[in-house]
Amino acid sequence: MSGLKHPYVTSPTRWTVFLRTFLPWQLWRFVRINLKMIGIIRRSH
Amino acid sequence: MSRVVVLGAGVSGHTAAAFARKWLGRSDTVTVVSPKDYYNWIPSNIWVGVGLMRPEQVTFPLKPVYQRHGIEFVHGAARAIHPEGSSDDPTPHVIVTPTGGASGATVKVPYDYLINATGPRLRFDRTPGLGPEGHSHSVCTEDHAAGAARALAESVERMKRGERQQFVVGVGHGTCTCEGAAFEYIVNLEFELRSRGVRDKADILWLTNEYELGDFGMGGMHFEVGGYVTPSSVFNASLFAERGIEWVTRAHVRQVDPGLIHYETLDGAVREQRADFAMLLPPFSGVGLKAFDRNGGDITASLFQPNEFMKVDADYRPKPYEDWRAGDWPRTYQSPVYRNLFAVGIAFAPPHAISRPFTSPSGAAIAPAPPRTGMPSAMIGKAVARSVVDMIRGAEAPTRTASMAEMGAACVASAGANPLTGTAASMTVFPIVPDFDRYAPYGRDLKRTFGEIGLAGHWIKIILHHLFLYKARLRPGWSLIPE
Ligand SMILES: Cc1cc2nc3c(=O)[nH]c(=O)nc-3n(C[C@H](O)[C@H](O)[C@H](O)COP(=O)(O)OP(=O)(O)OC[C@H]3O[C@@H](n4cnc5c(N)ncnc54)[C@H](O)[C@@H]3O)c2cc1C
């Protein structure tokens, strides 16, 4: 029997969870996300 | 000299008033009417609701700001619009009940251009027992959120004494909107319970009217990830499973009793859910403005939809869900009846639902209403302000458009507030209202629609909190900060 409560739900890997709060990676994502958002804002105004 | 009157000092009205003032000459006046004399940055109410911020940190008094910028302020609630004036005075005007004034007293506020930005009326009355005056909490206003935080602190104390607590978060009626805000609250709540060391004593349930998780009243979103086009439901379910949050979808809450929520689901099942703490958002309607012609005849039905939101330049012809088009959505927000009347933000009537509507066997409508979030509300307010200014200067018709089917939105949903361990889901979506003709088959431009969760999102959310409060205070350079 599966030990998972929701065996049919997608789960993040440990690496993905680690990256979510890993500072160097998040600094890079901060820049990328801001650029993406600025793109949307510029296209929408 | 022209008089621009804005009803409401929320995200859309405050933005419209500030830009109208900036662009108009000093001989023209800009007047804001609002029953609250302070501004509330509503997105940060989530953090008030989990006890991380105080109401004073998400609000500020409006009068000094308006005084500094030459905007007149009328402290009161608009009740009725007289777009043709009255038989003895043809000047269009609004009847306002002053806040704190003698009961029955009203004032007449004349206008040349009127922008209705009155937002939603919180319809706790649609579900017996719903809301802070009943048996559940809300985070729609800063004081509701403060009440939720107090109740949460009590629950935490109980858990520290060893008691288990059942938390239920979501929406309190089958027709609610704003699921995104409730989503932010539940993940922040879960994060807080972990931070306070009592997570093992808490059962947390998401109770929603969405057909699938991640719908958010926008019919969900699709993201390109790992070689697949993946619906938002996958990410939402994943986050809940990871955080140990259970969920019930397709639900209509019928009644809230002390400690017990009665709900039905689309399959006809009627159930009860124990709740030691419930935060359930209410359904919205318009604020119930009336309208009268010059002879005092009631013309409310020609200006407003039955849900009390104002009709603008949208296609409101009833049609099957399958037949609606992105082009049905309004572009100029001008009333089809009076050229000097506009509605912005939540106050305008959407032409139809974005999420597919469903009805339960008992006849209850169970489907999210379309959201109008902060970014589009502000952008619409700004576009309408420009149109009004241009019309004052001689333009025949509105000069600016801001269709939600042609603009995107950037949204950051907090999922836990801590500068090193917190996270937030950062999302962009383009366009907000899906356009299935232009972006078949998903309705959105997948290159511009993306989502990811991480600490960077939390930093952005914190920056936005300070940036938008700075902008709303109309401090130097405010107009350079995008909506
Ligand atoms: C808890 C919560 C969290 C949210 N988080 C986000 C988020 O993270 N991002 C996002 O984009 N959006 C978010 N939203 C949505 C966002 O708050 C709304 O989109 C936005 O406030 C809509 O702006 P508005 O001007 O239409 O209405 P409001 O901001 O509600 O303003 C309405 C104004 O009208 C006034 N008013 C009411 N009645 C009258 C009357 N009779 N006469 C005159 N004035 C009147 C009110 O006092 C108020 O000043 C959130 C909403 C909630 C409830």
PDB file of all heavy atoms in Angstrom, chain B residues 7-13 33-36 42-43 46 76-78 117-120 139-140 178 181 184 287 344-346 372-375 377 412 461, ligand 1:
ATOM      1  N   LEU B   7     -16.361  57.913  -6.775  1.00  0.00           N
ATOM      2  CA  LEU B   7     -17.000  57.259  -5.631  1.00  0.00           C
ATOM      3  C   LEU B   7     -16.146  56.076  -5.219  1.00  0.00           C
ATOM      4  O   LEU B   7     -16.010  55.108  -5.965  1.00  0.00           O
ATOM      5  CB  LEU B   7     -18.406  56.769  -6.010  1.00  0.00           C
ATOM      6  CG  LEU B   7     -19.351  57.811  -6.614  1.00  0.00           C
ATOM      7  CD1 LEU B   7     -20.701  57.168  -6.934  1.00  0.00           C
ATOM      8  CD2 LEU B   7     -19.510  58.991  -5.671  1.00  0.00           C
ATOM      9  N   GLY B   8     -15.528  56.153  -4.027  1.00  0.00           N
ATOM     10  CA  GLY B   8     -14.698  55.044  -3.551  1.00  0.00           C
ATOM     11  C   GLY B   8     -13.235  55.418  -3.540  1.00  0.00           C
ATOM     12  O   GLY B   8     -12.727  56.031  -4.486  1.00  0.00           O
ATOM     13  N   ALA B   9     -12.559  55.057  -2.446  1.00  0.00           N
ATOM     14  CA  ALA B   9     -11.128  55.360  -2.306  1.00  0.00           C
ATOM     15  C   ALA B   9     -10.343  54.076  -2.110  1.00  0.00           C
ATOM     16  O   ALA B   9      -9.440  53.991  -1.282  1.00  0.00           O
ATOM     17  CB  ALA B   9     -10.918  56.308  -1.128  1.00  0.00           C
ATOM     18  N   GLY B  10     -10.703  53.048  -2.880  1.00  0.00           N
ATOM     19  CA  GLY B  10      -9.940  51.799  -2.851  1.00  0.00           C
ATOM     20  C   GLY B  10      -8.908  51.815  -3.958  1.00  0.00           C
ATOM     21  O   GLY B  10      -8.532  52.878  -4.470  1.00  0.00           O
ATOM     22  N   VAL B  11      -8.477  50.641  -4.361  1.00  0.00           N
ATOM     23  CA  VAL B  11      -7.396  50.547  -5.351  1.00  0.00           C
ATOM     24  C   VAL B  11      -7.763  51.310  -6.632  1.00  0.00           C
ATOM     25  O   VAL B  11      -6.983  52.137  -7.127  1.00  0.00           O
ATOM     26  CB  VAL B  11      -7.110  49.060  -5.677  1.00  0.00           C
ATOM     27  CG1 VAL B  11      -6.125  48.942  -6.828  1.00  0.00           C
ATOM     28  CG2 VAL B  11      -6.577  48.346  -4.450  1.00  0.00           C
ATOM     29  N   SER B  12      -8.950  51.067  -7.184  1.00  0.00           N
ATOM     30  CA  SER B  12      -9.275  51.667  -8.486  1.00  0.00           C
ATOM     31  C   SER B  12      -9.642  53.147  -8.358  1.00  0.00           C
ATOM     32  O   SER B  12      -9.209  53.964  -9.172  1.00  0.00           O
ATOM     33  CB  SER B  12     -10.398  50.885  -9.170  1.00  0.00           C
ATOM     34  OG  SER B  12     -11.584  50.951  -8.411  1.00  0.00           O
ATOM     35  N   GLY B  13     -10.446  53.496  -7.341  1.00  0.00           N
ATOM     36  CA  GLY B  13     -10.893  54.884  -7.191  1.00  0.00           C
ATOM     37  C   GLY B  13      -9.753  55.811  -6.822  1.00  0.00           C
ATOM     38  O   GLY B  13      -9.609  56.913  -7.374  1.00  0.00           O
ATOM     39  N   VAL B  33     -15.421  60.572  -2.862  1.00  0.00           N
ATOM     40  CA  VAL B  33     -16.443  60.300  -1.838  1.00  0.00           C
ATOM     41  C   VAL B  33     -16.172  58.900  -1.308  1.00  0.00           C
ATOM     42  O   VAL B  33     -16.089  57.945  -2.090  1.00  0.00           O
ATOM     43  CB  VAL B  33     -17.857  60.318  -2.471  1.00  0.00           C
ATOM     44  CG1 VAL B  33     -18.920  59.961  -1.439  1.00  0.00           C
ATOM     45  CG2 VAL B  33     -18.145  61.665  -3.126  1.00  0.00           C
ATOM     46  N   SER B  34     -16.015  58.753  -0.004  1.00  0.00           N
ATOM     47  CA  SER B  34     -15.811  57.405   0.549  1.00  0.00           C
ATOM     48  C   SER B  34     -16.297  57.347   1.991  1.00  0.00           C
ATOM     49  O   SER B  34     -16.059  58.271   2.769  1.00  0.00           O
ATOM     50  CB  SER B  34     -14.334  57.021   0.487  1.00  0.00           C
ATOM     51  OG  SER B  34     -14.159  55.752   1.085  1.00  0.00           O
ATOM     52  N   PRO B  35     -16.958  56.241   2.360  1.00  0.00           N
ATOM     53  CA  PRO B  35     -17.430  56.119   3.750  1.00  0.00           C
ATOM     54  C   PRO B  35     -16.294  55.894   4.732  1.00  0.00           C
ATOM     55  O   PRO B  35     -16.476  56.046   5.937  1.00  0.00           O
ATOM     56  CB  PRO B  35     -18.359  54.901   3.710  1.00  0.00           C
ATOM     57  CG  PRO B  35     -17.963  54.129   2.487  1.00  0.00           C
ATOM     58  CD  PRO B  35     -17.374  55.112   1.523  1.00  0.00           C
ATOM     59  N   LYS B  36     -15.113  55.523   4.215  1.00  0.00           N
ATOM     60  CA  LYS B  36     -13.960  55.348   5.104  1.00  0.00           C
ATOM     61  C   LYS B  36     -12.957  56.443   4.773  1.00  0.00           C
ATOM     62  O   LYS B  36     -12.666  56.669   3.595  1.00  0.00           O
ATOM     63  CB  LYS B  36     -13.299  53.987   4.880  1.00  0.00           C
ATOM     64  CG  LYS B  36     -14.162  52.825   5.347  1.00  0.00           C
ATOM     65  CD  LYS B  36     -13.428  51.530   5.132  1.00  0.00           C
ATOM     66  CE  LYS B  36     -14.273  50.359   5.606  1.00  0.00           C
ATOM     67  NZ  LYS B  36     -13.671  49.075   5.244  1.00  0.00           N
ATOM     68  N   ILE B  42      -5.431  46.265   0.797  1.00  0.00           N
ATOM     69  CA  ILE B  42      -6.163  45.029   1.126  1.00  0.00           C
ATOM     70  C   ILE B  42      -5.295  43.762   1.009  1.00  0.00           C
ATOM     71  O   ILE B  42      -5.387  42.880   1.875  1.00  0.00           O
ATOM     72  CB  ILE B  42      -7.446  44.924   0.260  1.00  0.00           C
ATOM     73  CG1 ILE B  42      -8.395  46.069   0.611  1.00  0.00           C
ATOM     74  CG2 ILE B  42      -8.145  43.584   0.477  1.00  0.00           C
ATOM     75  CD1 ILE B  42      -9.643  46.156  -0.257  1.00  0.00           C
ATOM     76  N   PRO B  43      -4.431  43.624  -0.029  1.00  0.00           N
ATOM     77  CA  PRO B  43      -3.657  42.381  -0.110  1.00  0.00           C
ATOM     78  C   PRO B  43      -2.885  42.041   1.164  1.00  0.00           C
ATOM     79  O   PRO B  43      -2.722  40.863   1.498  1.00  0.00           O
ATOM     80  CB  PRO B  43      -2.728  42.636  -1.299  1.00  0.00           C
ATOM     81  CG  PRO B  43      -3.547  43.506  -2.205  1.00  0.00           C
ATOM     82  CD  PRO B  43      -4.281  44.436  -1.254  1.00  0.00           C
ATOM     83  N   ILE B  46      -4.008  39.814   4.602  1.00  0.00           N
ATOM     84  CA  ILE B  46      -3.687  38.402   4.857  1.00  0.00           C
ATOM     85  C   ILE B  46      -2.734  38.309   6.052  1.00  0.00           C
ATOM     86  O   ILE B  46      -2.906  37.473   6.937  1.00  0.00           O
ATOM     87  CB  ILE B  46      -3.009  37.776   3.601  1.00  0.00           C
ATOM     88  CG1 ILE B  46      -3.923  37.866   2.387  1.00  0.00           C
ATOM     89  CG2 ILE B  46      -2.519  36.349   3.865  1.00  0.00           C
ATOM     90  CD1 ILE B  46      -5.166  37.042   2.445  1.00  0.00           C
ATOM     91  N   GLY B  76     -18.342  60.066   3.275  1.00  0.00           N
ATOM     92  CA  GLY B  76     -19.715  59.569   3.306  1.00  0.00           C
ATOM     93  C   GLY B  76     -19.917  58.496   2.256  1.00  0.00           C
ATOM     94  O   GLY B  76     -19.027  58.221   1.438  1.00  0.00           O
ATOM     95  N   ALA B  77     -21.100  57.885   2.278  1.00  0.00           N
ATOM     96  CA  ALA B  77     -21.413  56.807   1.323  1.00  0.00           C
ATOM     97  C   ALA B  77     -22.387  57.332   0.275  1.00  0.00           C
ATOM     98  O   ALA B  77     -23.425  57.919   0.616  1.00  0.00           O
ATOM     99  CB  ALA B  77     -22.027  55.624   2.058  1.00  0.00           C
ATOM    100  N   ALA B  78     -22.037  57.122  -0.987  1.00  0.00           N
ATOM    101  CA  ALA B  78     -22.954  57.506  -2.067  1.00  0.00           C
ATOM    102  C   ALA B  78     -24.172  56.585  -2.014  1.00  0.00           C
ATOM    103  O   ALA B  78     -24.039  55.388  -1.740  1.00  0.00           O
ATOM    104  CB  ALA B  78     -22.250  57.370  -3.408  1.00  0.00           C
ATOM    105  N   ALA B 117     -16.335  53.732  -8.297  1.00  0.00           N
ATOM    106  CA  ALA B 117     -15.269  52.787  -7.918  1.00  0.00           C
ATOM    107  C   ALA B 117     -15.580  52.254  -6.523  1.00  0.00           C
ATOM    108  O   ALA B 117     -14.712  52.190  -5.656  1.00  0.00           O
ATOM    109  CB  ALA B 117     -13.909  53.500  -7.941  1.00  0.00           C
ATOM    110  N   THR B 118     -16.853  51.900  -6.333  1.00  0.00           N
ATOM    111  CA  THR B 118     -17.311  51.578  -4.974  1.00  0.00           C
ATOM    112  C   THR B 118     -16.992  50.156  -4.536  1.00  0.00           C
ATOM    113  O   THR B 118     -17.331  49.772  -3.412  1.00  0.00           O
ATOM    114  CB  THR B 118     -18.832  51.812  -4.853  1.00  0.00           C
ATOM    115  OG1 THR B 118     -19.469  51.287  -6.026  1.00  0.00           O
ATOM    116  CG2 THR B 118     -19.163  53.286  -4.743  1.00  0.00           C
ATOM    117  N   GLY B 119     -16.363  49.339  -5.400  1.00  0.00           N
ATOM    118  CA  GLY B 119     -15.947  48.001  -4.964  1.00  0.00           C
ATOM    119  C   GLY B 119     -17.118  47.104  -4.630  1.00  0.00           C
ATOM    120  O   GLY B 119     -18.234  47.315  -5.102  1.00  0.00           O
ATOM    121  N   PRO B 120     -16.869  46.114  -3.783  1.00  0.00           N
ATOM    122  CA  PRO B 120     -17.927  45.160  -3.483  1.00  0.00           C
ATOM    123  C   PRO B 120     -18.676  45.465  -2.188  1.00  0.00           C
ATOM    124  O   PRO B 120     -18.146  46.113  -1.289  1.00  0.00           O
ATOM    125  CB  PRO B 120     -17.135  43.861  -3.286  1.00  0.00           C
ATOM    126  CG  PRO B 120     -15.852  44.327  -2.658  1.00  0.00           C
ATOM    127  CD  PRO B 120     -15.562  45.696  -3.210  1.00  0.00           C
ATOM    128  N   VAL B 139     -11.105  38.162   6.044  1.00  0.00           N
ATOM    129  CA  VAL B 139      -9.935  39.040   5.987  1.00  0.00           C
ATOM    130  C   VAL B 139     -10.171  40.155   4.965  1.00  0.00           C
ATOM    131  O   VAL B 139      -9.215  40.768   4.486  1.00  0.00           O
ATOM    132  CB  VAL B 139      -8.625  38.272   5.656  1.00  0.00           C
ATOM    133  CG1 VAL B 139      -8.170  37.438   6.839  1.00  0.00           C
ATOM    134  CG2 VAL B 139      -8.782  37.379   4.422  1.00  0.00           C
ATOM    135  N   CYS B 140     -11.446  40.396   4.641  1.00  0.00           N
ATOM    136  CA  CYS B 140     -11.764  41.382   3.591  1.00  0.00           C
ATOM    137  C   CYS B 140     -11.434  42.809   4.017  1.00  0.00           C
ATOM    138  O   CYS B 140     -11.144  43.646   3.170  1.00  0.00           O
ATOM    139  CB  CYS B 140     -13.229  41.287   3.205  1.00  0.00           C
ATOM    140  SG  CYS B 140     -13.568  39.796   2.268  1.00  0.00           S
ATOM    141  N   CYS B 178     -12.723  35.697  -5.453  1.00  0.00           N
ATOM    142  CA  CYS B 178     -11.584  36.027  -4.583  1.00  0.00           C
ATOM    143  C   CYS B 178     -10.982  34.784  -3.912  1.00  0.00           C
ATOM    144  O   CYS B 178     -10.418  34.875  -2.826  1.00  0.00           O
ATOM    145  CB  CYS B 178     -12.001  37.056  -3.516  1.00  0.00           C
ATOM    146  SG  CYS B 178     -10.824  38.397  -3.342  1.00  0.00           S
ATOM    147  N   ALA B 181      -7.392  35.039  -2.591  1.00  0.00           N
ATOM    148  CA  ALA B 181      -7.119  35.615  -1.272  1.00  0.00           C
ATOM    149  C   ALA B 181      -7.270  34.558  -0.188  1.00  0.00           C
ATOM    150  O   ALA B 181      -6.448  34.467   0.732  1.00  0.00           O
ATOM    151  CB  ALA B 181      -8.062  36.787  -1.007  1.00  0.00           C
ATOM    152  N   GLU B 184      -4.270  32.332  -0.251  1.00  0.00           N
ATOM    153  CA  GLU B 184      -3.117  32.932   0.434  1.00  0.00           C
ATOM    154  C   GLU B 184      -3.254  32.777   1.941  1.00  0.00           C
ATOM    155  O   GLU B 184      -2.287  32.520   2.635  1.00  0.00           O
ATOM    156  CB  GLU B 184      -3.070  34.438   0.134  1.00  0.00           C
ATOM    157  CG  GLU B 184      -2.237  34.807  -1.044  1.00  0.00           C
ATOM    158  CD  GLU B 184      -1.989  36.306  -1.066  1.00  0.00           C
ATOM    159  OE1 GLU B 184      -2.958  37.042  -1.336  1.00  0.00           O
ATOM    160  OE2 GLU B 184      -0.850  36.738  -0.827  1.00  0.00           O
ATOM    161  N   VAL B 287     -22.628  47.790  -4.404  1.00  0.00           N
ATOM    162  CA  VAL B 287     -22.970  48.387  -3.109  1.00  0.00           C
ATOM    163  C   VAL B 287     -24.416  48.876  -3.042  1.00  0.00           C
ATOM    164  O   VAL B 287     -24.849  49.422  -2.033  1.00  0.00           O
ATOM    165  CB  VAL B 287     -21.998  49.525  -2.708  1.00  0.00           C
ATOM    166  CG1 VAL B 287     -20.573  49.005  -2.600  1.00  0.00           C
ATOM    167  CG2 VAL B 287     -22.072  50.701  -3.683  1.00  0.00           C
ATOM    168  N   VAL B 344     -15.288  51.440 -12.525  1.00  0.00           N
ATOM    169  CA  VAL B 344     -13.956  50.825 -12.578  1.00  0.00           C
ATOM    170  C   VAL B 344     -13.770  49.842 -11.426  1.00  0.00           C
ATOM    171  O   VAL B 344     -14.485  49.901 -10.421  1.00  0.00           O
ATOM    172  CB  VAL B 344     -12.842  51.913 -12.521  1.00  0.00           C
ATOM    173  CG1 VAL B 344     -12.920  52.832 -13.728  1.00  0.00           C
ATOM    174  CG2 VAL B 344     -12.925  52.732 -11.241  1.00  0.00           C
ATOM    175  N   GLY B 345     -12.805  48.928 -11.575  1.00  0.00           N
ATOM    176  CA  GLY B 345     -12.507  47.955 -10.517  1.00  0.00           C
ATOM    177  C   GLY B 345     -13.663  46.983 -10.344  1.00  0.00           C
ATOM    178  O   GLY B 345     -14.342  46.612 -11.306  1.00  0.00           O
ATOM    179  N   ILE B 346     -13.914  46.603  -9.123  1.00  0.00           N
ATOM    180  CA  ILE B 346     -14.957  45.606  -8.862  1.00  0.00           C
ATOM    181  C   ILE B 346     -16.349  46.170  -9.171  1.00  0.00           C
ATOM    182  O   ILE B 346     -17.294  45.417  -9.415  1.00  0.00           O
ATOM    183  CB  ILE B 346     -14.823  45.106  -7.401  1.00  0.00           C
ATOM    184  CG1 ILE B 346     -13.526  44.284  -7.280  1.00  0.00           C
ATOM    185  CG2 ILE B 346     -16.021  44.273  -6.973  1.00  0.00           C
ATOM    186  CD1 ILE B 346     -13.201  43.785  -5.898  1.00  0.00           C
ATOM    187  N   ARG B 372     -11.678  40.490  -9.986  1.00  0.00           N
ATOM    188  CA  ARG B 372     -11.058  41.696 -10.548  1.00  0.00           C
ATOM    189  C   ARG B 372     -10.019  42.118  -9.532  1.00  0.00           C
ATOM    190  O   ARG B 372     -10.334  42.764  -8.545  1.00  0.00           O
ATOM    191  CB  ARG B 372     -12.112  42.787 -10.777  1.00  0.00           C
ATOM    192  CG  ARG B 372     -12.834  42.577 -12.101  1.00  0.00           C
ATOM    193  CD  ARG B 372     -14.286  42.911 -12.039  1.00  0.00           C
ATOM    194  NE  ARG B 372     -15.032  41.955 -11.253  1.00  0.00           N
ATOM    195  CZ  ARG B 372     -16.209  42.201 -10.731  1.00  0.00           C
ATOM    196  NH1 ARG B 372     -16.775  43.345 -10.871  1.00  0.00           N
ATOM    197  NH2 ARG B 372     -16.842  41.262 -10.033  1.00  0.00           N
ATOM    198  N   THR B 373      -8.798  41.676  -9.770  1.00  0.00           N
ATOM    199  CA  THR B 373      -7.755  41.843  -8.757  1.00  0.00           C
ATOM    200  C   THR B 373      -7.153  43.247  -8.809  1.00  0.00           C
ATOM    201  O   THR B 373      -7.565  44.088  -9.612  1.00  0.00           O
ATOM    202  CB  THR B 373      -6.657  40.785  -8.942  1.00  0.00           C
ATOM    203  OG1 THR B 373      -6.189  40.879 -10.280  1.00  0.00           O
ATOM    204  CG2 THR B 373      -7.171  39.391  -8.673  1.00  0.00           C
ATOM    205  N   GLY B 374      -6.160  43.465  -7.960  1.00  0.00           N
ATOM    206  CA  GLY B 374      -5.623  44.800  -7.769  1.00  0.00           C
ATOM    207  C   GLY B 374      -5.028  45.423  -9.018  1.00  0.00           C
ATOM    208  O   GLY B 374      -5.326  46.573  -9.352  1.00  0.00           O
ATOM    209  N   MET B 375      -4.191  44.656  -9.729  1.00  0.00           N
ATOM    210  CA  MET B 375      -3.500  45.246 -10.877  1.00  0.00           C
ATOM    211  C   MET B 375      -4.483  45.701 -11.964  1.00  0.00           C
ATOM    212  O   MET B 375      -4.433  46.857 -12.388  1.00  0.00           O
ATOM    213  CB  MET B 375      -2.465  44.262 -11.419  1.00  0.00           C
ATOM    214  CG  MET B 375      -1.676  44.814 -12.587  1.00  0.00           C
ATOM    215  SD  MET B 375      -0.393  43.650 -13.080  1.00  0.00           S
ATOM    216  CE  MET B 375      -0.140  44.176 -14.758  1.00  0.00           C
ATOM    217  N   SER B 377      -7.620  46.403 -11.593  1.00  0.00           N
ATOM    218  CA  SER B 377      -8.469  47.465 -11.026  1.00  0.00           C
ATOM    219  C   SER B 377      -7.762  48.812 -11.129  1.00  0.00           C
ATOM    220  O   SER B 377      -8.352  49.819 -11.523  1.00  0.00           O
ATOM    221  CB  SER B 377      -8.799  47.174  -9.556  1.00  0.00           C
ATOM    222  OG  SER B 377      -9.565  46.002  -9.465  1.00  0.00           O
ATOM    223  N   VAL B 412       1.407  37.937  -6.867  1.00  0.00           N
ATOM    224  CA  VAL B 412       2.266  37.197  -5.956  1.00  0.00           C
ATOM    225  C   VAL B 412       1.421  36.771  -4.766  1.00  0.00           C
ATOM    226  O   VAL B 412       0.901  37.616  -4.038  1.00  0.00           O
ATOM    227  CB  VAL B 412       3.464  38.061  -5.487  1.00  0.00           C
ATOM    228  CG1 VAL B 412       4.412  37.224  -4.645  1.00  0.00           C
ATOM    229  CG2 VAL B 412       4.201  38.657  -6.672  1.00  0.00           C
ATOM    230  N   LYS B 461       6.836  40.142  -2.680  1.00  0.00           N
ATOM    231  CA  LYS B 461       5.572  40.496  -1.998  1.00  0.00           C
ATOM    232  C   LYS B 461       5.818  41.590  -0.948  1.00  0.00           C
ATOM    233  O   LYS B 461       5.035  42.534  -0.821  1.00  0.00           O
ATOM    234  CB  LYS B 461       4.996  39.233  -1.360  1.00  0.00           C
ATOM    235  CG  LYS B 461       3.628  39.395  -0.744  1.00  0.00           C
ATOM    236  CD  LYS B 461       2.514  39.156  -1.717  1.00  0.00           C
ATOM    237  CE  LYS B 461       1.155  39.405  -1.089  1.00  0.00           C
ATOM    238  NZ  LYS B 461       0.080  39.442  -2.060  1.00  0.00           N
TER     239      LYS B 461
HETATM  240  C1  LIG C   1      -8.004  39.562   1.552  1.00  0.00           C
HETATM  241  C2  LIG C   1      -7.794  40.016   0.143  1.00  0.00           C
HETATM  242  C3  LIG C   1      -6.536  39.866  -0.431  1.00  0.00           C
HETATM  243  C4  LIG C   1      -6.318  40.276  -1.739  1.00  0.00           C
HETATM  244  N1  LIG C   1      -5.079  40.107  -2.265  1.00  0.00           N
HETATM  245  C5  LIG C   1      -4.826  40.544  -3.515  1.00  0.00           C
HETATM  246  C6  LIG C   1      -3.512  40.410  -4.081  1.00  0.00           C
HETATM  247  O1  LIG C   1      -2.599  39.859  -3.471  1.00  0.00           O
HETATM  248  N2  LIG C   1      -3.310  40.905  -5.326  1.00  0.00           N
HETATM  249  C7  LIG C   1      -4.310  41.506  -6.026  1.00  0.00           C
HETATM  250  O2  LIG C   1      -4.086  41.941  -7.151  1.00  0.00           O
HETATM  251  N3  LIG C   1      -5.549  41.649  -5.523  1.00  0.00           N
HETATM  252  C8  LIG C   1      -5.828  41.175  -4.291  1.00  0.00           C
HETATM  253  N4  LIG C   1      -7.092  41.303  -3.774  1.00  0.00           N
HETATM  254  C9  LIG C   1      -8.112  41.969  -4.579  1.00  0.00           C
HETATM  255  C10 LIG C   1      -8.023  43.492  -4.449  1.00  0.00           C
HETATM  256  O3  LIG C   1      -8.078  43.863  -3.115  1.00  0.00           O
HETATM  257  C11 LIG C   1      -9.174  44.108  -5.240  1.00  0.00           C
HETATM  258  O4  LIG C   1      -9.003  43.755  -6.583  1.00  0.00           O
HETATM  259  C12 LIG C   1      -9.215  45.605  -5.171  1.00  0.00           C
HETATM  260  O5  LIG C   1      -9.294  46.042  -3.842  1.00  0.00           O
HETATM  261  C13 LIG C   1     -10.393  46.124  -5.974  1.00  0.00           C
HETATM  262  O6  LIG C   1     -10.369  47.510  -5.985  1.00  0.00           O
HETATM  263  P1  LIG C   1     -11.682  48.395  -6.012  1.00  0.00           P
HETATM  264  O7  LIG C   1     -11.221  49.794  -6.036  1.00  0.00           O
HETATM  265  O8  LIG C   1     -12.574  47.923  -7.095  1.00  0.00           O
HETATM  266  O9  LIG C   1     -12.457  48.065  -4.655  1.00  0.00           O
HETATM  267  P2  LIG C   1     -12.001  48.396  -3.167  1.00  0.00           P
HETATM  268  O10 LIG C   1     -10.524  48.399  -3.054  1.00  0.00           O
HETATM  269  O11 LIG C   1     -12.769  47.455  -2.300  1.00  0.00           O
HETATM  270  O12 LIG C   1     -12.502  49.882  -2.912  1.00  0.00           O
HETATM  271  C14 LIG C   1     -13.845  50.228  -2.829  1.00  0.00           C
HETATM  272  C15 LIG C   1     -13.950  51.593  -2.195  1.00  0.00           C
HETATM  273  O13 LIG C   1     -15.288  52.069  -2.291  1.00  0.00           O
HETATM  274  C16 LIG C   1     -15.690  52.561  -1.033  1.00  0.00           C
HETATM  275  N5  LIG C   1     -17.167  52.500  -0.980  1.00  0.00           N
HETATM  276  C17 LIG C   1     -17.961  51.467  -0.654  1.00  0.00           C
HETATM  277  N6  LIG C   1     -19.245  51.830  -0.726  1.00  0.00           N
HETATM  278  C18 LIG C   1     -19.274  53.123  -1.116  1.00  0.00           C
HETATM  279  C19 LIG C   1     -20.309  54.069  -1.367  1.00  0.00           C
HETATM  280  N7  LIG C   1     -21.591  53.737  -1.225  1.00  0.00           N
HETATM  281  N8  LIG C   1     -19.967  55.326  -1.750  1.00  0.00           N
HETATM  282  C20 LIG C   1     -18.660  55.665  -1.895  1.00  0.00           C
HETATM  283  N9  LIG C   1     -17.650  54.808  -1.665  1.00  0.00           N
HETATM  284  C21 LIG C   1     -17.950  53.561  -1.293  1.00  0.00           C
HETATM  285  C22 LIG C   1     -14.971  51.674  -0.044  1.00  0.00           C
HETATM  286  O14 LIG C   1     -14.939  52.250   1.252  1.00  0.00           O
HETATM  287  C23 LIG C   1     -13.605  51.607  -0.711  1.00  0.00           C
HETATM  288  O15 LIG C   1     -12.862  52.768  -0.422  1.00  0.00           O
HETATM  289  C24 LIG C   1      -7.365  40.850  -2.479  1.00  0.00           C
HETATM  290  C25 LIG C   1      -8.630  40.985  -1.912  1.00  0.00           C
HETATM  291  C26 LIG C   1      -8.861  40.542  -0.623  1.00  0.00           C
HETATM  292  C27 LIG C   1     -10.233  40.678  -0.017  1.00  0.00           C
END
